[in-house]
Amino acid sequence: MRMEVGGEPRVTMKQVALEAGVSVTTVSHVVNNKRGVRIGPDARRRVLEAVDRLGYRTNALAKTLVKGSSPFIGLLSDSIASTPFAGQIVRGAQDAAWQHGHILLVANTEGNAEAEERAISMMLQYKVRGILFSRWYHRDVTPPTSLRETSTVLVNCYDDAGDHTCVVPDEVGGGRRAAQTLIRAGHRRIALINTTSPSPARTGRLEGYRRALEAAGIVFRQELVWDAQPDQEGGYASAERLLATGATAVCCHNDRVAMGLYDALRERGLSVPTDMSVVGFDNQEVIAGHLHPPLSTVALPHYKLGVAGVRILLGLDDVPADGRVEIECPSVVRSSVLTL
């Protein structure tokens, strides 16, 4: 009798034994490559040929339960798998896991607490090597207590209690690079359109902006910094205020804000970068690379966050004493900055 799995018949070890004319025990020893067991070359050949003909597959879960470990790494997210740019976290983790002989099990829970607990329980049953707990945007979280039952690395998020190692973007460094892109082009009066949403991105990018100005000997002016909705409408609504400041350049909290600003400037007969140099943040390819002119920006290192999470989980990379690993946010220079 064949077992049904997902509507398809699964070949059993007993069928392989009958096909090869050997005992089930002999088949088990061959397919599991058990050492110290004497099996004649002819019997081994017949078993392997039967396995090939019948398409037999070993039960990976059963092996996992016997050995007490598995080749699986869990990744538990809210919605990064369905968010275009943050989905790179999954890709980076998957590539790193595969490179080191592991398979990534992904559960996308949309932030549902009950679904998270069920996913963690399933991963623990599979005796995963550990779990990456990730969020689609960088923020403080309270991880489920069940994560304490296995090795856990927080990716693109952190817990204030410091119970888990975390891998996060270097928001301060990113804010600094955004401003430096404009400073190096000769701009001295540089505005910053920040976000209204409390977050590490809001405080970190502002701090980086201030540090870049200070290092260049430029006085920080509060009137050049304000908050706006972190979307196209927020950028569009900021145009009048920006033009009133006399700034020649602006750092936008994200690429969507920059896109809205582009629209508002164009309506006023102004152009980027001739009348205003603009730098965004995030490097959302569907936006930054396709604006006219293409937008200079700072990239969020989602792919590298995923890679780093797996490497730390596997003990391949060192972790600072505070358990916080920051990944660089690199500049992406395009055509939206005019050199003075």
Side-chain angles (χ1 to χ4, degrees):
M1 179 182 294
R2 291 189 177 188
M3 297 179 64
E4 298 290 329
V5 180
E8 294 294 329
R10 191 180 76 190
V11 178
T12 66
M13 197 175 288
K14 184 177 180 180
Q15 287 176 285
V16 175
L18 290 172
E19 181 77 10
V22 298
S23 69
V24 173
T25 301
T26 297
V27 174
S28 175
H29 291 336
V30 172
V31 297
N32 291 304
N33 198 25
K34 191 166 184 178
R35 297 179 181 179
V37 177
R38 290 186 179 182
I39 299 174
D42 183 61
R44 184 179 296 275
R45 175 185 57 78
R46 295 201 310 274
V47 169
L48 294 176
E49 288 177 352
V51 165
D52 185 56
R53 282 195 302 272
L54 298 177
Y56 174 77
R57 293 180 181 273
T58 57
N59 190 326
L61 178 57
K63 285 185 176 181
T64 292
L65 295 175
V66 169
K67 293 180 179 179
S69 63
S70 79
F72 301 121
I73 291 174
L75 189 151
L76 186 63
S77 74
D78 51 357
S79 57
I80 64 172
S82 56
T83 305
F85 66 101
Q88 289 294 313
I89 292 176
V90 175
R91 181 166 167 261
Q94 182 171 272
D95 287 351
W98 187 256
Q99 181 182 1
H100 297 287
H102 289 72
I103 299 171
L104 197 68
L105 299 179
V106 181
N108 202 64
T109 66
E110 300 298 333
N112 182 290
E114 182 180 352
E116 283 188 349
E117 288 296 344
R118 289 173 59 193
I120 293 170
S121 177
M122 179 272 292
M123 291 175 181
L124 293 176
Q125 287 176 35
Y126 271 79
K127 296 187 181 295
V128 292
R129 179 71 178 269
I131 294 176
L132 305 181
F133 183 85
S134 187
R135 288 296 178 259
W136 80 270
Y137 73 91
H138 181 192
R139 64 183 187 272
D140 176 29
V141 296
T142 303
T145 55
S146 53
L147 286 177
R148 296 174 184 172
E149 296 181 42
T150 187
S151 299
T152 299
V153 176
L154 306 184
V155 178
N156 206 34
C157 56
Y158 63 95
D159 63 318
D160 278 331
D163 292 334
H164 302 286
T165 297
C166 66
V167 183
V168 294
D170 178 6
E171 301 283 8
V172 174
R176 185 177 65 249
R177 288 185 183 85
Q180 285 175 337
T181 297
L182 296 166
I183 292 170
R184 288 167 182 162
H187 295 274
R188 305 287 292 179
R189 193 166 180 82
I190 302 168
L192 170 66
I193 303 175
N194 210 341
T195 179
T196 55
S197 306
S199 63
R202 182 175 186 267
T203 55
R205 294 172 196 178
L206 172 60
E207 177 62 24
Y209 163 87
R210 297 186 68 144
R211 290 185 188 182
L213 296 184
E214 182 180 0
I218 301 173
V219 176
F220 172 81
R221 300 184 183 280
Q222 188 61 57
E223 67 268 20
L224 291 176
V225 178
W226 64 91
D227 297 338
Q229 288 180 228
D231 52 26
Q232 188 173 1
E233 287 72 19
Y236 184 90
S238 292
E240 207 64 50
R241 182 170 183 174
L242 173 62
L243 294 172
T245 65
T248 62
V250 58
C251 295
C252 296
H253 178 74
N254 60 36
D255 297 342
R256 290 172 294 154
V257 170
M259 179 167 61
L261 182 60
Y262 266 51
D263 292 340
L265 293 174
R266 188 178 300 111
E267 286 184 3
R268 290 165 172 76
L270 303 175
S271 66
V272 175
T274 303
D275 299 297
M276 183 67 64
S277 290
V278 181
V279 172
F281 210 108
D282 288 352
N283 193 33
Q284 284 189 255
E285 285 295 334
V286 294
I287 298 176
H290 298 285
L291 289 177
H292 298 284
L295 177 67
S296 293
T297 186
V298 174
L300 280 172
H302 288 112
Y303 182 87
K304 290 185 176 180
L305 290 173
V307 170
V310 169
R311 291 186 58 84
I312 290 169
L313 194 65
L314 296 178
L316 300 173
D317 290 341
D318 293 332
V319 176
D322 63 359
R324 182 183 180 89
V325 176
E326 294 188 338
I327 305 296
E328 176 182 311
C329 298
S331 299
V332 181
V333 179
R334 295 191 178 96
S335 308
S336 62
V337 176
L338 177 69
T339 299
L340 300 181

